[in-house]
Amino acid sequence: MTANIFSVLNTAKLGLQTNQTAIEITGHNIANVQTEGFSRQEVTLEVNRPRRVGLAFLGTGVRATNVTRDFDQFLFNQILGESSTLGNFDIRNTFFQRLETIVNESSGVSLNNAMSEFFIAFDDLASNPTNLSARTAVLSAAGTLATVFNQIGSSLLQQRMNLDNAVSAEVTEINSMLDEIAALNRSIIKLENGNTPANDLRDQRDLLIKRLSEKLDVKLIDTNDNNTTLTLSGGTPLVVGTTVFHLSVTANLDNRGFKDILVDDGMGGTTNVTTEIQGGEMRGLLDMRDVETLGLIDQLDRLAAGLMEQVNGVHLQGLGLDGSSGNLFFETLTPTVIPASQNSGTGGVTATNASPSTVIVDKFQIQITGAGTFDLFNLTTNQVTGSFGFVVGTALNIANGLAVTITGPPTTGDTFDISISEDAAMNMALSSTVLNNTDKIAAGLSGTGDGQNALNISNLQSSLVFSSGAFTPGAGTSTFDDFYNSLVSGLGAGSRSSQTILRQQEGVMLQLNTQRESISGVSLDEEMINLIKFQQAYAASARMITVIEEMFDVLQRI
């Protein structure tokens, strides 16, 4: 009889302990109702091993065997993928807005207005070619135009530099996250190898992985050994268990020194993953830096270069008030040459602007095809424009006055990028000749006072000089205004597209997070019900102990 009483006492004790544990878990859930990334936890209750009494088995109470978290791995993987897209377009939307602020046609002195005022000033000069005020107005309008080009060009370059700095900062933040994830892997392995569920640590790790997915297109591989492996979507490892493959940056000499992304290969080297990164904020930063902003800079430079060349071409044909001729209105465009960093030969290329009034302002690439030969590739139109033979040290006209001289022995496969329009917007300036003497402005054509040449310059406003983005004076389909309006509308379209996709992604993420909350989130109503249930069970177990105490008292009085 005494043994049976102790068995009942043990059953009551187990009830107290188990329900106390359940109450603790319920309290833990309630305390973390607002904690980001927290997954609701549940205690797993099982019937305790029964004891044999004669031919029957009597129950011995309950025991808590585990504490689990409500978690859906498939849903979590979906969240990672959509978070990557959201991060990408969040960055795109932010920086598109900044680009629109730079190229703002709705306030201040816009480039469209500056170009219009420039051509109007020459039209006024055509009517009064000898008037000093009209000549001064031309210089003023031209100076304003150059200033606006300079400001927009400089602001776009600064924006690109800001994006480059953001890439470096993002790499630092990503590496910190990778280190934390690896450290959590280490802690989880240590705890769960002792059969202790590390639910809170797993929540912390999942939250870090989610935040990382906003920055990179990561793929999660659960190895079912309490470990986690993270890779880029292309398979490049970032975290394998407790081993971290850190990111780093390096200057890309083929991209004006802007940074590429590298990842440790685990063997003391690095792998360039700039093009492998397909999502997240990092992809957004790279695309905005090397595609969108660079594209705007290129278009603005070619607009400025084309305008300078056409105005110079007409101005050279006219006569100044002092009878002088052959004067440039804008400073001569200076070509740039960028050899590919992978060139194996010792040869080089120099370029000169031999004809400021006819030179083609598109961007080109010389591709060495053999000893003494090369192909000329138009980077603007993506077409081969011709094959040339060359003699080392001898200048060669390749594009209407763009002259190149190849020095040393280049190797087959070497490439050289050449541009007459590089930084043209940022460097646009009036020639010192006309800037210092308004009489040098060539308004006349057949005489110093006829104004025909000024009219010809004014008529450039309606000249068709661009075709499909390429500079094709005399065979174009759009004017300078048309080209710039296309630039602005393209920027606006890109901004609207990013904003639309961002809103769509926010909606998708809202639905996914709602689904997660329905599975893993804490419901206060449900927890309060559980709290009352476990509290009542605890009180009942305590009452059992009181009853057993009374039974002992009865036995003691016998």
Side-chain angles (χ1 to χ4, degrees):
M1 185 64 180
T2 306
N4 289 337
I5 292 178
F6 279 115
S7 177
V8 175
L9 180 61
N10 187 63
T11 298
K13 182 192 74 170
L14 289 176
L16 281 174
Q17 292 174 338
T18 301
N19 285 291
Q20 180 179 338
T21 299
I23 290 173
E24 288 179 4
I25 296 301
T26 303
H28 185 57
N29 288 338
I30 293 172
N32 286 281
V33 66
Q34 298 294 339
T35 302
E36 183 183 4
F38 178 77
S39 298
R40 178 177 178 269
Q41 297 180 13
E42 294 183 82
V43 61
T44 303
L45 304 180
E46 290 184 3
V47 175
N48 198 33
R49 178 175 297 181
R51 67 184 180 89
R52 190 183 187 104
V53 178
L55 298 177
F57 287 92
L58 294 182
T60 58
V62 67
R63 61 193 175 98
T65 59
N66 199 3
V67 178
T68 62
R69 62 181 186 142
D70 295 334
F71 181 75
D72 188 324
Q73 186 66 53
F74 178 74
L75 178 61
F76 184 63
N77 288 337
Q78 279 189 296
I79 290 175
L80 294 185
E82 298 301 335
S83 293
S84 177
T85 304
L86 178 66
N88 183 359
F89 282 93
D90 187 30
I91 286 293
R92 292 177 66 88
N93 181 61
T94 298
F95 282 94
F96 262 123
Q97 291 178 0
R98 296 181 187 180
L99 291 177
E100 286 185 305
T101 301
I102 294 172
V103 187
N104 191 346
E105 286 296 307
S106 61
S107 63
V109 181
S110 70
L111 186 54
N112 242 335
N113 289 338
M115 285 194 294
S116 295
E117 292 299 323
F118 173 74
F119 289 118
I120 289 173
F122 267 105
D123 188 61
D124 292 341
L125 180 61
S127 301
N128 298 284
T130 61
N131 185 275
L132 178 60
S133 295
R135 288 176 172 270
T136 302
V138 166
L139 282 187
S140 176
T144 299
L145 177 63
T147 298
V148 174
F149 265 114
N150 296 162
Q151 289 175 344
I152 296 177
S154 297
S155 296
L156 289 176
L157 179 60
Q158 184 61 53
Q159 181 77 336
R160 198 168 180 225
M161 294 170 64
N162 292 342
L163 285 160
D164 195 54
N165 292 333
V167 167
S168 297
E170 199 84 343
V171 165
T172 300
E173 192 171 348
I174 288 171
N175 283 335
S176 177
M177 288 183 173
L178 296 178
D179 287 333
E180 290 185 62
I181 291 170
L184 285 169
N185 275 345
R186 187 177 298 107
S187 299
I188 291 170
I189 292 171
K190 182 178 179 180
L191 288 177
E192 295 191 346
N193 279 347
N195 297 321
T196 303
N199 294 322
D200 292 332
L201 292 182
R202 281 181 171 267
D203 283 343
Q204 292 177 34
R205 184 177 66 184
D206 289 341
L207 180 58
L208 274 172
I209 293 173
K210 179 179 178 295
R211 289 174 177 172
L212 180 64
S213 72
E214 296 172 1
K215 298 181 178 300
L216 288 173
D217 51 320
V218 294
K219 182 179 180 181
L220 173 63
I221 303 173
D222 198 333
T223 57
N224 296 320
D225 59 354
N226 309 324
N227 235 329
T228 290
T229 294
L230 286 175
T231 70
L232 290 176
S233 58
T236 300
L238 298 174
V239 176
V240 178
T242 59
T243 303
V244 178
F245 299 86
H246 289 109
L247 301 184
S248 58
V249 295
T250 185
N252 183 349
L253 299 181
D254 296 327
N255 191 20
R256 298 193 68 174
F258 288 99
K259 300 178 185 71
D260 276 359
I261 312 299
L262 308 178
V263 64
D264 295 344
D265 60 10
M267 296 178 291
T270 56
T271 301
N272 194 318
V273 293
T274 307
T275 57
E276 185 181 337
I277 296 170
Q278 296 300 315
E281 294 176 1
M282 185 66 82
R283 184 70 265 166
L285 291 172
L286 293 171
D287 283 345
M288 290 305 297
R289 185 193 71 184
D290 296 336
V291 179
E292 305 298 345
T293 306
L294 180 59
L296 278 178
I297 291 174
D298 176 55
Q299 292 179 76
L300 189 72
D301 282 342
R302 287 188 290 114
L303 174 63
L307 181 63
M308 292 165 69
E309 183 209 275
Q310 288 294 288
V311 171
N312 279 340
V314 176
H315 196 267
L316 285 169
Q317 300 172 18
L319 297 173
L321 194 58
D322 60 358
S324 62
S325 62
N327 294 319
L328 293 172
F329 188 82
F330 289 107
E331 289 290 354
T332 303
L333 294 166
T334 302
T336 59
V337 178
I338 303 176
S341 60
Q342 300 300 317
N343 287 355
S344 58
T346 59
V349 173
T350 59
T352 57
N353 184 356
S355 179
S357 62
T358 62
V359 66
I360 297 177
V361 300
D362 291 349
K363 295 186 175 181
F364 296 93
Q365 184 179 80
I366 287 178
Q367 302 172 346
I368 304 298
T369 55
T373 61
F374 67 83
D375 286 341
L376 186 65
F377 187 78
N378 189 317
L379 296 174
T380 302
T381 63
N382 289 319
Q383 294 178 341
V384 176
T385 60
S387 298
F388 296 83
F390 68 88
V391 176
V392 173
T394 301
L396 179 66
N397 186 349
I398 60 172
N400 290 14
L402 179 58
V404 298
T405 303
I406 298 179
T407 59
T411 301
T412 300
D414 287 355
T415 61
F416 303 85
D417 290 349
I418 302 175
S419 174
I420 198 72
S421 61
E422 192 84 12
D423 296 331
M426 194 165 58
N427 296 326
M428 176 185 275
L430 302 184
S431 74
S432 57
T433 302
V434 299
L435 194 59
N436 295 328
N437 186 353
T438 58
D439 288 350
K440 299 294 184 181
I441 299 176
L445 189 60
S446 57
T448 58
D450 63 7
Q452 183 59 49
N453 206 49
L455 183 61
N456 291 343
I457 292 177
S458 176
N459 289 338
L460 289 175
Q461 184 175 19
S462 58
S463 296
L464 302 178
V465 291
F466 286 98
S467 179
S468 299
F471 186 62
T472 54
T477 57
S478 57
T479 64
F480 292 110
D481 287 338
D482 294 335
F483 184 83
Y484 182 66
N485 289 335
S486 175
L487 180 155
V488 174
S489 62
L491 174 60
S495 179
R496 288 191 298 273
S497 175
S498 293
Q499 191 173 48
T500 299
I501 296 175
L502 176 62
R503 288 174 178 171
Q504 291 174 344
Q505 282 304 119
E506 288 174 339
V508 170
M509 286 301 299
L510 179 61
Q511 291 180 353
L512 291 175
N513 286 328
T514 300
Q515 291 180 39
R516 182 198 177 279
E517 283 301 307
S518 69
I519 296 171
S520 303
V522 176
S523 168
L524 288 179
D525 291 339
E526 185 177 349
E527 297 303 322
M528 289 304 296
I529 292 172
N530 286 337
L531 185 60
I532 294 172
K533 179 176 66 175
F534 294 133
Q535 181 187 19
Q536 292 296 323
Y538 184 88
S541 295
R543 178 58 182 158
M544 280 184 63
I545 293 175
T546 301
V547 170
I548 295 168
E549 183 181 5
E550 293 173 354
M551 292 172 67
F552 274 119
D553 289 341
V554 171
L555 287 174
Q556 289 173 354
R557 289 195 297 268
I558 294 175

